[in-house]
Amino acid sequence: MNLGEGNAQLADDDMDDGGYVGGQRFELFSDSGEADIHLARLRGWGFTLLRFVFTWEALEHAGPKKYDEDFISHLILVLQKCKAHGFLVFLDPHQDVWSRFTGGSGAPYWTLLACGINPRSLTATQAALIHNEYPTPAQPDPANFPAMIWGTNYSRLASQTLFTLFFAGRDFAPKCIIDGVNIQDYLQSHFIGAVSHLARRIKEAGGLLDECVLGWDSMNEPFEGMVGYEDLRRIGASQALKKGSCPTPAQGMRLGMGMKQDDIEWWDFGSFGPRRNGSVDIDPNGVRLWVDPEVADEIDGVNGRWGWKRSKEWELGKCIWALHGVWDPSKSTPNGVSRLSSTAGATEVKDIDILIPDYFLYSPSSEGMGDVPGGKDKVAFVEDYLLPHMRDYFSALRAHHPELIPFIQPPVFHPPPLLAGLEPDDP
C-alpha cells in the first residue's frame, strides 16, 4: 500500500523558476485528526506494511544541497504516526519520467538546467508532454490531456537524455562536466546526498529505524534512457507503450534542435493495445530544447542562481548528442532524406545526419576488448550502470541505517539483477 506525503505541486505558471509549493499534507494535530483516521482505516482493512513515497524534489527543490527541513520534519511526524498505528514502512524515493517538469514526478527543477535543458521548450519540441501546458503553453486545456499519455515521455528526448546522463554520462557524455565532475557523478551525488540526509534526520529523531522503517527502495521504476538502444533511426522493439506522436530518437533529436519533422508515427491505444493510425508533422518553429547561456543565467560557465560551473567543452544551446558526434544537425532535413550527388547522378539517402546510429549500444570503456564490431562489448544496463549506482546509494544509507533492507527495482519489463555471488559485505 502506497502512502504519499504531499510532495510537491506546481505553482501556477511557475515553470520559469521551478515554482514549488508544498503538496497537500496530513493534518496531524488538527481537530479533524486526518492522519489518525486514514491510518486507522488502513489498519482496519488489514494492511500492516506501507510503501512511503517521497520525491527528491521535495527534499532539495531550493537548490543543490539546500534541503527542506520543514518537509523533513513533517515527514518524520507522519512516520511517528505510522509507528503508533502499528505499521512497518519502507521508504521510496519516487519518480516517474524523471520530474514533474517533464510530465511526472521526482527530480528538482534545477536538474534540467544542470543538464542543459530549457524547461520552457519541452512542449514545442515534444521532448515531453506536460499536463499544465497541453496542448500549447499559450492556450492550455489540461482537462483534455489524453489519459496515460504521460507514460510516453519515457520515449521522448527529455527523459531519454536525463536518464542516460544520470546513469551513464561518464561513458556516453564525457564532455558534460559540471563543478569539475561528469554530469553522471553530479546528479547521482546530489540524489544520494539528499536521501542520505533524510536518513540521518530520521536516525536523529530516534525510535523509527528498524522499529518502523525497515528499509529503502532504490528508485521507483528506474529507466535506462537510451543506453542499449540498437538504432536511433528506429522505434525500439522494447517500446511497449505507443500513444499519440511517437518520434524515433533521431527525430526527437532534430525536434530538440527546433527542426520540423515530417511523417512521425501516430498511434492510438485501445482495448487491444497500440495501433498505428497514420503520421503527423511536428514543427517546433525554431524553438530549441537546449538552453542558451542567457536564459540559463550562465556567464563564463558560472550559473548566477544555482552556483555551479560548467566546463568550456559543454557549449550551451547545442544538442549534447551532436556535441558528442552522434549526429550532425547541418545534414538534417524535415523528412530525414538527403540528396547526394555523384558522377552516377543524384541519390536519396535517409538519416544521413545520424552518424553513429548504435552509439548507445556498445560500451566505450570496452574499446578493443569485445568481439563485436569495433572491438566493443554491448552494454548491459542493469549490470553496468544500475547496480554500481545502487551500491553507492545503499552504502551511503547504511551509514545511518546499518540494518536496512534494500528494496531493488529494475527498469519496467526488465528482469531483476542476479544477486547470486554477492559478497556478504555488499551494501
Side-chain angles (χ1 to χ4, degrees), residues 251-274:
Q251 290 172 324
M253 290 178 185
R254 297 179 192 121
L255 290 170
M257 283 296 288
M259 302 175 184
K260 181 186 177 184
Q261 289 296 281
D262 299 336
D263 298 322
I264 291 176
E265 291 186 11
W266 183 273
W267 289 73
D268 294 332
F269 198 97
S271 302
F272 296 98

Side-chain angles (χ1 to χ4, degrees), residues 62-139:
K65 294 186 179 180
K66 296 179 180 178
Y67 303 125
D68 189 333
E69 297 295 346
D70 288 341
F71 173 80
I72 292 172
S73 296
H74 193 83
L75 185 151
I76 290 171
L77 290 174
V78 176
L79 288 176
Q80 290 169 340
K81 285 281 187 182
C82 292
K83 179 183 176 182
H85 283 267
F87 283 103
L88 297 174
V89 170
F90 74 93
L91 289 159
D92 165 40
H94 204 80
Q95 76 80 33
D96 288 295
V97 297
W98 184 260
S99 168
R100 66 193 173 104
F101 300 97
T102 51
S105 65
Y109 171 86
W110 51 265
T111 61
L112 276 72
L113 291 168
C115 292
I117 288 175
N118 185 352
R120 276 294 186 187
S121 299
L122 292 163
T123 296
T125 58
Q126 292 210 6
L129 301 181
I130 306 170
H131 183 261
N132 69 310
E133 288 191 350
Y134 182 85
T136 67
Q139 294 182 312

